[in-house]
Amino acid sequence: MLFSRPSPTHRPRAASRRFRPRARALYGAVLAEHGEQAAARLLLAAMLLAVRDTLTGPRLAQLPPRVRAHQLRQLGRIASHDEAFLPFCRLDGDVFLKEFGLATLRLYAGASSVIDPRSGMGRSMLWKGGWLGLPGRALLFARAGGFKPYFEIHVNRLYQDEFNEEGRNECYRCCADLYELHPEALGMIAGSWFYDPVVEIISPHLAYLRTVPEEGGARALFVSHDEQAARNATATSEKRRALHAAGQYRPASWALVWPRAAQIAWARRHGKDHQD
């Protein structure tokens, strides 16, 4: 298929955002000759064709039953996209990439989140916590088996119906089931402002996002104070905006690392029957 993504490279995150050169050339030609609306229609058509190919192809049946049930629901949702979705159809747009990834099975549906099976951590993560944090971080990645590949979970802002504690727990169960399909995966990673321990004090209703994985053996690691974290943390909360404006809250990016064995053990303790 012209718009299918290429095989993953040694840079998993970069690979998840790349398309075949011919696809990029076609998109660029349509954009140049016919404008943004025509180029968006091309991407929408490609995505809908990808849903058809996934539903009729063999790979869907290979998914664990729990994940397959979630994937089918997402494919049904994506198949209903019409012209109202055209504003999101940009070749490197985050929303389009996640929807197209689900349509092509490059991303897996996991209740609250989408799951990228081809991600990883940069070695620079070892230094983000300063010299005092270096030994503990080095030990964490050594025990996990290295810096890649990991499952990485992402929020899909077009679908947040299950962004709650149970939806999140279901996502972790999906990851645990997917290790059989991806035995090379070392664990699960994620990144966001809401893994910051300070958030538990300011917004206690979000505490589960960090505390549940940590109770299951995950580690939350400081990454940086940055503008993106500040924008995201203050976007939907007047309380966080006010505290930030008053200099009483400084949003930060944090990473979550959950080694495979610990996540599987958690899922066994908190298992639920798959949802066919």
Side-chain angles (χ1 to χ4, degrees):
M1 181 179 174
L2 182 60
F3 274 86
S4 62
R5 291 180 181 170
S7 300
T9 68
H10 64 287
R11 299 180 63 191
R13 294 191 188 194
S16 69
R17 290 180 171 271
R18 291 175 57 188
F19 290 86
R20 298 182 187 280
R22 281 202 308 142
R24 284 194 172 274
L26 175 60
Y27 176 79
V30 172
L31 183 63
E33 294 181 24
H34 303 286
E36 291 185 358
Q37 193 76 353
R41 291 179 185 279
L42 172 68
L43 294 183
L44 177 60
M47 187 171 64
L48 295 178
L49 286 173
V51 170
R52 182 204 63 184
D53 291 346
T54 294
L55 289 172
T56 57
R59 292 181 58 217
L60 189 63
Q62 297 171 2
L63 296 181
R66 180 193 307 279
V67 180
R68 186 167 63 248
H70 288 294
Q71 199 83 27
L72 283 168
R73 281 194 287 275
Q74 294 302 316
L75 291 172
R77 180 184 61 79
I78 294 169
S80 69
H81 283 330
D82 54 20
E83 291 196 353
F85 184 72
L86 289 176
F88 296 107
C89 290
R90 300 293 180 268
L91 194 60
D92 291 311
D94 182 71
V95 169
F96 176 76
L97 286 169
K98 286 173 180 172
E99 297 286 88
F100 190 73
L102 287 167
T104 57
L105 285 184
R106 296 285 293 183
L107 298 176
Y108 300 127
S112 70
S113 309
V114 297
I115 303 167
D116 182 350
R118 301 171 181 84
S119 196
M121 280 284 190
R123 285 175 171 78
S124 62
M125 182 60 66
L126 294 174
W127 309 97
K128 299 292 186 180
W131 285 102
L132 292 178
L134 177 60
R137 294 186 179 212
L139 183 60
L140 171 66
F141 286 104
R143 287 178 172 172
F147 295 92
K148 65 180 182 181
Y150 285 85
F151 296 148
E152 184 169 12
I153 63 172
H154 303 274
V155 175
N156 183 356
R157 70 185 181 94
L158 281 196
Y159 178 80
Q160 297 193 32
D161 295 4
E162 295 179 79
F163 193 84
N164 51 48
E165 185 167 358
E166 178 48 38
R168 198 72 167 184
N169 290 347
E170 179 66 7
C171 179
Y172 306 149
R173 296 184 194 105
C174 288
C175 288
D177 287 357
L178 282 165
Y179 287 122
E180 186 173 352
L181 187 63
H182 291 276
E184 73 283 1
L186 303 175
M188 188 206 85
I189 60 175
S192 180
W193 59 271
F194 48 64
Y195 299 121
D196 184 349
V198 173
V199 172
E200 182 177 357
I201 301 171
I202 299 172
S203 302
H205 64 288
L206 299 178
Y208 71 89
L209 293 163
R210 178 184 57 83
T211 59
V212 170
E214 281 193 334
E215 289 166 1
R219 282 275 307 279
L221 306 174
F222 172 79
V223 178
S224 66
H225 293 286
D226 56 68
E227 292 184 6
Q228 185 66 46
R231 284 195 298 270
N232 292 342
T234 58
T236 60
S237 169
E238 291 185 11
K239 180 180 181 180
R240 291 193 295 271
R241 278 196 299 272
L243 289 172
H244 178 54
Q248 297 177 321
Y249 168 46
R250 189 182 182 193
S253 293
W254 282 66
L256 192 72
V257 182
W258 201 345
R260 176 179 59 201
Q263 189 172 42
I264 290 174
W266 178 91
R268 286 173 178 165
R269 295 193 303 272
H270 300 84
K272 291 180 67 176
D273 291 339
H274 64 75
Q275 303 175 13
D276 280 328

